[in-house]
Structures are given as structure tokens and as C-alpha cells.
Amino acid sequence: MDFIKKLKEFNKQINDLESGIYLGEKRYREIYELNQKLEAEIEKRTKDLETANRQMLTLQHILDMMTAAKPLSGVLNAIVSSLQGELGYLYSCIMRTYTENGQLYLEVIAHSDDELSTKIESVMPLSFYDTKVAITPSSGFEEYLSANKVYHTNNVSECLYRFFPGADTRKLEQLFTSIGCRSCILIPLSSDKVHYGSLILLSKREDTTDAELRFLALFARQIELAVTISNLFHAVKSQAVSDPLTGLYNRRYFEDCIKKETIRANRQNQKFSVIGLDLDYLKQINDKYGHNYGDIAIKTIADVLKKNARSIDVAARIGGEEFNIILPGIDSEGAMTAAERIRKAIENQNMPVIGKITASLGVATYFEQTDDVDELLELTDHAMYQSKHDGRNRVTLAKPTKDISWQEVAFNTFMDILAKHRVPLDTDISDNISRKLETLGINNDGLYTISDTLIKLYNPNYTPGITKSKVLLANSLAKRFDMPKDKIDNLKVAILLYDIGNILLPKQILQKKDPLTEAEKDRIKSHPVIAAREILEPITGMNTILPIIENHHENWDGSGYPHELAGEEIPIESQMILLIDAYFALQEPRSYRKAMDKEQAVDVIRAGSGTKWNPKLVEEFISIIETEEF
């Protein structure tokens, strides 16, 4: 009995052991299967994370390019390259929608550049960038564009045949089969809520997941953002180089272009020309019809220039009613022909209310009249003012610098000052002086008269005719020092203009009878700089005259102004003007003293020799005064 009982107990133990083993095996199998599932899930999540990481890095790379203000083409090419390389698509391209002659087209603006794209291009009649697709009812695009949603198809050849018409369909199918291409995805792109184009992708996968489509939609937004940024960049850039009224280039852009054109001309030994143009009688138009019509006239000139300019020409509004055009590769003969064509086109404009308008034009050519770009612009201006002087509505070819007289330089400067209101004169006074100058013409007596007229405006004690005496005396003094002709000519122009800065000073200071305050003295001392820098510096042709005028109140011992130069630091022309000006000023009455006679004036000058004036100049000057009639 005991044996049987023990046997049963042993059997029970065996059954319990077997049951435990079975349960353990089952539990182990369940754990194993769970581990397998977890490993698979981890692998899947890892791959998803890697994909997401690649996507984010790609997006970040694109964003970095956009914020670095890279050209749009570079950003778009980076996008398509990323889609193909980093994200596993076989091929990608971006097509833009545009209108030409009323017809809507698609064109490639970026595509992945590799062996596959070369093979695709080989079965097309034209290259990617030369292909344009007309969007018509029969093209099948209108429905896709109007739906504005992602399009997915497994019929890859048919899809691409629509986007690349004329391609060999059979070869396309063979090519796509060989690379395992199973689907084509089209994603619409917009810019400022207007359809911009499409992103086209070739994929090895037959289907797309929701996650993939969401990411592609995000990618499309990056493309749209890049386009928007590019449009804004070009808009800002256009505003920076364009004249807002006319749409032509502005002065700054013109100056940059002519520097580059000069470099190119020197490198290739090729001529180029500049046409200067000034609208005639703008003030009369403004006074008679209002400034709105003046603006219309200016815009009409700009429209004529746009229509008559070649694609490589640079037409710019320099300011007011003045325009310049650069003609690369054109000699003076060709430039004169172009200028005459522009002149006639302007003359033929029949504008409402205003009627006819005209313009005066000047032409100068690099390597013909000069090989200095600054001089080229000066010559163009001189020729333009010559056209005005000769009756307006005409074209004048510039003379070489060596052939331009000092009288022409002075005449053009006076015309510029008056026409562009560089001094605050009453408009009627300015116009009257301009008309008087044109009537008198380019001759010595006419220039002396105009200079006297301007000086009389701020100095009522000034004696007409003194300007002529100053120029003749300066000429005699300069010859005593064997000055070359060009320096004597500069001296003559400077004498006509050196005191013009006084026009900008208050009359109550210039004509004050009581002693001047220190502040008022400082204002008086500013007039050489005002004349040189504020009035004359913007005028072409003044670069050699400015130092003479700016320093004509510097004393020999360094006690003068504005820079406290001394001795030979002072331009000799400036020294001469200081001496001549003092001689004639001493003979005029002032609120604080009576006018001196010639002998008294000479005594004052002799007393200032070596302090205020150059002793050698004083010696020669007194010799001239004593032997000639001044």
C-alpha cells in the first residue's frame, strides 16, 4: 500500500513537473514572439525616425539656403536634388506656369541632374530647359490645375508624355521599366495664392502613404516659400536700382553700370557711347498745366527710351528731367543715329493737353573723345547743353576735352546751376537769368554779365563790369608766373564762380551794419565750402575747379579758412583769387568803412605781403596795377 501511495505521489509530481515545463515553454514562446514583434516595431520606428530625420535635415538645408538669400534657381535645384538623393525618389523636377501672348505654358525651372535625367532627356526632342508645354483643353492639364490637389498615377509614361510632349513613349516605358519606376506624383505649387507650377516626382513605390503625402505637402510649402522670398528679394532689388516714377534705372545703378562697361571696353578695346538727354521746357509745362503733367511728360520720355533701347543698353533717369543711356559697342556715328531716332520719337509723341514735347540730346564716345569715364560724362553734358543753346530739340556730338573752351565750361555750369535750381533764387529770377544767358551766348562779355548779375543779388554795392576786370587781371598775373593755358582757363572759370556760395547765406548777415557775432562770422567763413561742395561738386566738369574755389580764403601764413592751409599748400590759383578779390573789395563801400581808392587798396595789399598774401604774388600784382589800367 505504501508503495502504491508513493507511486501515485511520484506520478503526480511528474505531472506537475510536465505541466510546469509546458507552461514555462508556452510563456517563453509568448515572450519570444513579443520580443520579435518589439524588435520589428523598433526597426520600423528606427527607419521612420531616420526618414523623418533626413526629411527634417533636408528641410533645414533648404531653409538655410533661403535665409542666406541664395538665388531662387540654386534653392530649387537643391530641393529637387534632395528629393532624389536623400529621400529616395528616382527623379524630380519643378515646372513653372507662365503666360506668353495670351497662351498658358509650363516650363522646367529645376530638375535633378544625373544619369537618369540625361537618359530621359535623350528621348525628348528638346532639352528640359528648352521644353515648354502648352496648357490647352486637350492637354489634360486644366482639370489637374483647377483641382489644385496632389495627383498620383501608376501610368508614368502617359503622365510624363503630357509634361514632356514629343518624347518617344516606347523608349520612356522601356527606361522606366529598367529602373523600376512604378508611379508618378504631381504636387501643385502656389505663390501669393496664385497657381505657380508643379513638383513632379518619379518613385519606385506603387502607392503613397498618408505620411509621405503630408511630408511632400510640407516640401511644396518650402518651394512656395522660396518663390515668395525670391519675388520679394527681386522686388526690393528692383526698387533699389529703379526710378519709381519712370521704371528706368536710377543714377546709382547707372554709375555702377558705366564703371563695369569701362572695364569691359578697356579689356576688349571696344568703344561705347553715352547719350545724355534733357526734356525741354519742363518748367513751362509744370507752370502751365501742373506738376502731374510734368510727370507725364517725363514718363513719356522714359517710355520712348524703353521702346528704342536694345536689350543690352542701359537707360537711366539721372534726376529731374535728365536721362542717360549707355550704348555698349557703339561708336559715335551709331550713337548719333540712335540719338536722332530717340529725338524724333519724342517729337512725334502727341500727348493729351500738353501736345508736343521735345528734348535736347548730347552724345560722347569712349575712346573717341576721351578714355576717361568721368570726362566722358562731362563731355556728354556739355554736348547736351550745347543742344539747348543752339535752339533745343536737336542732337550734338561732344567735342574732345582739348577742344572745349573755358567759356563753354563756364556757360554749361551757369546753365546747370540755373536750370536745376542749385541756388535758392526766385523761379522767375532764375528763368530770366537763364534766358538772358542763352541770348548772350557763349562769349566772354555774356559770361561776365551773368556773373555780375548773380553777384549783385547778394552784394548791392557790387559794381557791374568788375568781373571782366578780375578775369583780365588774373590772366595778366598768371602769365607772369608762366602758368599753362589749362590752368589759366581753370582760373578764369573759378573767378566767375568763386563767390556764388554767398547766395546761400542770409542777406541780414552779408549786409549787416553792426559787428558780426562769432556765429555769423562762422557762417560767412562757410561760403567757400558751400560754393565748392554744395553747389558745384554735383556738376560735371568742376573737378579741377573745386580746389581753387574751396581754398580761395586761405592766407599765406595759415590764418585763413576753411582748412588753415599755409604757403605753397594753397593752390596758386586760390592765392591769386584772394589777392584780386581783396583789391576790388577794398574799393567798394562797406557798412563799417568807406570805399578806398586804388592807391589806398594797394597800400593795404602791400602791408599784408607775407602774412595774408604770397610776397611774390604781391610784387607782380602791384607791378601790373601800376603799369596797366585796372
Side-chain angles (χ1 to χ4, degrees), residues 188-381:
L189 304 172
S190 300
S191 178
D192 294 329
K193 299 181 180 179
V194 177
H195 183 83
Y196 177 80
S198 299
L199 171 63
I200 304 173
L201 301 164
L202 298 184
S203 175
K204 291 183 178 181
R205 300 178 291 276
E206 290 187 358
D207 298 317
T208 57
T209 63
D210 291 340
E212 181 181 5
L213 292 177
R214 284 195 299 271
F215 172 72
L216 290 176
L218 180 60
F219 227 85
R221 300 296 81 77
Q222 293 295 313
I223 297 173
E224 293 169 353
L225 181 59
V227 172
T228 300
I229 291 173
S230 176
N231 291 341
L232 289 172
F233 174 77
H234 285 296
V236 171
K237 182 179 178 182
S238 176
Q239 291 171 4
V241 302
S242 298
D243 171 60
L245 177 63
T246 64
L248 294 176
Y249 292 117
N250 59 21
R251 176 191 285 272
R252 184 173 70 177
Y253 184 82
F254 174 85
E255 290 173 348
D256 288 342
C257 283
I258 201 164
K259 289 176 184 176
K260 293 175 183 176
E261 184 59 28
T262 303
I263 294 171
R264 187 200 62 78
N266 288 332
R267 185 175 63 248
Q268 299 180 6
N269 194 29
Q270 185 180 59
K271 299 175 182 178
F272 72 90
S273 296
V274 175
I275 298 174
L277 181 153
D278 199 87
L279 171 63
D280 295 330
Y281 303 114
L282 175 63
K283 182 183 180 300
Q284 285 88 327
I285 294 173
N286 287 334
D287 291 346
K288 187 173 182 179
Y289 304 108
H291 287 272
N292 286 342
Y293 283 98
D295 288 347
I296 291 171
I298 289 171
K299 286 190 280 190
T300 300
I301 296 281
D303 291 340
V304 169
L305 297 183
K306 292 173 186 176
K307 290 176 183 176
N308 284 273
R310 303 171 300 166
S311 60
I312 61 173
D313 296 340
V314 177
R317 184 186 180 202
I318 303 303
E321 65 271 39
E322 189 177 343
F323 302 82
N324 279 351
I325 308 103
I326 302 173
L327 306 175
I330 300 296
D331 61 14
S332 59
E333 183 179 356
M336 288 293 287
T337 301
E340 180 61 21
R341 183 172 63 249
I342 291 170
R343 186 200 66 78
K344 286 182 179 178
I346 293 170
E347 186 181 36
N348 290 334
Q349 298 297 309
N350 192 12
M351 300 174 60
V353 181
I354 301 174
K356 297 285 187 180
I357 59 173
T358 62
S360 300
L361 297 90
V363 172
T365 300
Y366 195 69
F367 287 145
E368 289 190 23
Q369 282 86 21
T370 180
D371 57 1
D372 180 88
V373 67
D374 292 328
E375 207 167 62
L376 180 73
L377 296 176
E378 293 172 10
L379 293 173
T380 305
D381 265 8

